[in-house]
Structures are given as structure tokens and as C-alpha cells.
Amino acid sequence: MPFEPVLQEKLSHGVIRQIEGLILRGILRPGERLPSERELSERMGVSRPSLREALADLQDRGLLSSKAGAGVYVADVLGSAFAPALIKLFATHDEAVFDYLSFRRDMEGLAAERAARLASDTDLKVIDTIFQKMETAHQKRNPADEANLDADFHLSIIEASHNIIMLHMMRSMYELLREGVFYNRSIMFKQRTTRDTLLDQHRAINTALQARDPHAARGAIEAHLDFVETALSDQQKADRNEVFAQKRYEHEARR
């Protein structure tokens, strides 16, 4: 029979498996800098030669990258879920925007339901901390900060759902959202009433999650994204009417 004696695992292999797991679970994120070699070897209880061997292997496989004089970083393994040509189509067609919101509603509703059941106390603390930052940013009326925290809030829920496939897929899609491919998030924060409503909706989501209520968490996410879709549609209609009115005014002025 082709069995061989079981040998003790090389320390470098243990380091590799641990770092791979952290990347896979989304704990180590693309672009994140690893601790220094000295600190990392001490925290993992391995020698520097074993650590270097492991890091070299991970770099060869494209999971880590080094920057001269700056350290070792998690490589940009996220990438995009879509080809560049398709991304350009998304950016110029409203249909893609609303299909994206519909997809998010389904996926994030499931993620919120899972998070309410499966999240650790630490996961829920992260979500609550981000929401508190949202409340602070709301008072400062900075649309860019609010939009970034909004994305962070939703991603933290997906992370708390503990589904690694969903996590990496949605992270890729959120990068397109941050880049304004699907829609300009700051548009939705133009009116005070919209900003207040959005904050209240995120509060309802957070409250349901902290109470570990799967049904309420999913319902709050779905209600929030339904509102986003309606608000975005209304804003687009208002913008089109404004453009039409301006063109009509210019036409009348030339007569």
C-alpha cells in the first residue's frame, strides 16, 4: 500500500497555511501590510529562516508582494469580477445599475440573515463600530466619508456572514461601486431628508444584527436597498428633467 510515515510538518508550511487562511477568510485584505519580519516571527513562534521561506513561497504564488524598503503586502488578489469592456457598459447603462441593486438586495439579505445567526461577538462589534462612525460622519455632512463608511458597513455584514465565496465576490463588486462604475454614491446624499432616512435604515439594520434577529436583519437590508433603488430612480428622473428644461430654455432664448 502506498502509505509513508507521517513526518512532522515543516514550520514554513504551517506559516503558509496560516497566512493562506487569513487571506481566504478576508482577515488579511488586498494591499494590507504584514508586520515586520521580527514581529511576525515572534508572533508565529517560528525562526526567521522558516518565515522567509514561507513568505517567498507565498510571493511566488502571487498571494504576497514585497515593496523595496516598505515591507511585505497582501497582493491585489481581488481583481474584478468583470472584463473591462463589460465594466464600460455597466457605467453607461441604467439597466445595469438597477440589476446590480437587485442582486445586492438578494445577496446582502442572505448575508444579513446569516450574520445574525453566525457572527461572532467581535463581528458584531465591528459592525456597530462602523455604524457609530457613520453617525459621526453624518453630523459633519461629508458625502465622501459617508459613502465610504456606507460601503464598509455593508461589507462588514458580508464578512460576518462567514461565507468566503460570497465575501470575495462581493468585495470585487464593491470595488466597482467605490469607483463609481455603477452609480455616483454622493448623488444620493444631496438632500438632507435622504441622508437622514439612509442613516435610520442603517440603524435598523445594525439593531437587528445586534439583537441576532435573522428575519429582521434581512428585512431591514431589503427595505434599505428598495429605498436606494427608488431614490436613485427619482434622482435620475429629476436630473433628466433639469437637462430638458435647460435645453428648452436655451432654445427659447435663441428664438
Side-chain angles (χ1 to χ4, degrees):
M1 298 293 288
F3 294 110
E4 298 177 357
V6 176
L7 302 177
Q8 183 177 0
E9 183 179 41
K10 288 180 63 177
L11 289 177
S12 62
H13 291 172
V15 172
I16 289 170
R17 288 193 302 106
Q18 187 173 156
I19 294 178
E20 284 178 338
L22 292 173
I23 294 174
L24 188 64
R25 296 196 302 275
I27 297 172
L28 284 176
R29 304 186 178 200
E32 185 171 345
R33 184 180 183 278
L34 268 60
S36 67
E37 182 180 290
R38 178 180 61 81
E39 181 182 353
L40 198 55
S41 65
E42 290 176 355
R43 288 168 61 174
M44 301 187 79
V46 298
S47 67
R48 291 195 181 188
S50 293
L51 178 64
R52 293 189 192 112
E53 182 180 346
L55 297 182
D57 180 272
L58 291 165
Q59 289 183 61
D60 288 343
R61 291 192 284 121
L63 292 174
L64 298 178
S65 62
S66 61
K67 300 178 182 179
V72 178
Y73 293 76
V74 178
D76 185 12
V77 294
L78 195 60
S80 173
F82 311 103
L86 194 55
I87 291 173
K88 290 181 180 179
L89 283 179
F90 288 157
T92 55
H93 289 76
D94 290 347
E95 181 181 3
V97 173
F98 293 106
D99 280 352
Y100 170 73
L101 287 171
S102 177
F103 178 80
R104 275 187 60 193
R105 183 183 186 276
D106 293 341
M107 295 302 295
E108 292 188 35
L110 175 61
E113 186 178 286
R114 285 178 56 88
R117 291 189 291 106
L118 304 174
S120 67
D121 291 342
T122 299
D123 291 329
L124 294 180
K125 179 63 177 177
V126 169
I127 293 170
D128 187 56
T129 298
I130 295 174
F131 176 71
Q132 291 175 30
K133 291 180 180 179
M134 292 175 73
E135 290 185 308
T136 301
H138 184 77
Q139 301 302 321
K140 297 180 180 179
R141 298 182 61 84
N142 186 319
D145 286 348
E146 288 182 273
N148 284 328
L149 286 167
D150 189 332
D152 289 343
F153 179 81
H154 285 272
L155 277 175
S156 69
I157 295 172
I158 293 167
E159 290 171 351
S161 73
H162 293 284
N163 184 304
I164 58 176
I165 303 301
M166 182 187 295
L167 168 62
H168 290 283
M169 178 182 68
M170 295 302 290
R171 270 190 181 171
S172 177
M173 296 191 72
Y174 262 91
E175 287 306 306
L176 297 181
L177 180 62
R178 289 183 194 275
E179 294 166 8
V181 172
F182 284 108
Y183 58 87
N184 185 346
R185 296 175 64 84
S186 63
I187 290 176
M188 298 202 53
F189 295 88
K190 286 182 177 178
Q191 299 181 356
R192 179 75 187 184
T193 53
T194 300
R195 293 176 64 250
D196 290 343
T197 301
L198 289 171
L199 184 66
D200 288 341
Q201 290 170 355
H202 286 98
R203 181 179 293 108
I205 295 167
N206 184 47
T207 298
L209 288 169
Q210 301 303 324
R212 294 189 177 276
D213 186 333
H215 179 74
R218 182 165 194 157
I221 282 281
E222 292 175 347
H224 165 59
L225 288 170
D226 284 342
F227 174 83
V228 170
E229 181 174 346
T230 300
L232 190 61
S233 178
D234 290 346
Q235 185 62 53
Q236 288 180 341
K237 290 176 183 177
D239 290 344
R240 284 194 291 266
N241 290 337
E242 184 178 341
V243 170
F244 176 78
Q246 180 63 29
K247 289 183 177 179
R248 184 174 181 179
Y249 171 79
E250 292 173 353
H251 175 72
E252 293 293 333
R254 290 195 296 268
R255 294 180 62 180

